[in-house]
Amino acid sequence: MPDQLLTIEEYRALGESDRGFTELVEGRVVPSPGAGRTHNMAACRLAAQLERQLPRGLAFALGTDIDLGLAPPGEPGFARRPDLLVFDRTARDPIRAKNVAVVVEIATTGSRRTDYRVKHDEYADAGIPHYWIVDLTEPVTLVACQGYRDAPPVTGTFATGEPFPVELDLDALIGQHAGTAR
């Protein structure tokens, strides 16, 4: 890991790590622990449900960096790698916050505080209009955040018209319910 603060460009030049993934927080490279099989399978199941419902102009990606644009060019930057993101299909790499419609984090025991507090505020500061936090602790819940405002947690089926019409079967993301999504 570099011992100086990095810009977005310097961070991107590092490439992928062979020890899991990293994020850039105030210019510091921060390693992220592996999420585990249940988490990763839930992310894939969520992506499958979303893919069928995305409008034409949007695309999704799993585990892809976003330049949050929270620092001026050439200054120590911020890049997060959410579990899933929905973005403008025409966006080029690196994906920038202004091109993102929804960021999704799947909270785990080791990430709960970061997902509910730190990333919540960073995504809002970056102007990402919608942030969904999925918590796999049964019953599975989804908290939809718009800026700094959070809706109450939803269980069972999450349905919204913003930023696009979508209906998600949250129970189908884990264990015995997996594979039952419409």
Side-chain angles (χ1 to χ4, degrees), residues 9-122:
E9 294 76 20
E10 292 166 334
Y11 174 69
R12 287 181 46 79
L14 292 177
E16 295 292 322
S17 167
D18 59 354
R19 290 183 242 141
F21 75 88
T22 60
E23 295 178 309
L24 187 66
V25 180
E26 296 183 278
R28 291 174 181 82
V29 177
V30 178
S32 288
R37 186 179 77 178
T38 300
H39 173 280
N40 292 341
M41 290 176 71
C44 290
R45 291 176 183 135
L46 181 61
Q49 289 186 52
L50 272 172
E51 183 177 33
R52 293 188 296 269
Q53 301 177 63
L54 283 180
R56 266 206 158 99
L58 296 176
F60 78 92
L62 294 164
T64 299
D65 285 337
I66 302 171
D67 174 357
L68 295 181
L70 296 176
E75 294 293 320
F78 290 79
R80 289 293 189 175
R81 185 176 289 196
D83 294 314
L84 190 146
L85 68 135
V86 177
F87 60 97
D88 182 326
R89 185 175 293 281
T90 63
R92 296 183 182 176
D93 277 339
I95 294 174
R96 301 190 191 286
K98 67 181 182 184
N99 301 117
V100 176
V102 179
V103 168
V104 181
E105 294 287 0
I106 299 175
T108 62
T109 302
S111 74
R112 199 165 265 109
R113 182 182 186 289
T114 300
D115 292 339
Y116 278 94
R117 301 274 184 237
V118 178
K119 289 183 179 183
H120 179 283
D121 289 351
E122 286 179 3

Side-chain angles (χ1 to χ4, degrees), residues 3 16 18 22 28 42 48 55 57-58 60 71 73 77 82 88 124 131 140 142 147 154 156 159 164 168 172 174 181:
D3 55 358
E16 295 292 322
D18 59 354
T22 60
R28 291 174 181 82
L58 296 176
F60 78 92
D88 182 326
Y131 172 36
V140 177
L142 187 149
V154 173
F164 52 87
L168 302 172
I174 62 167

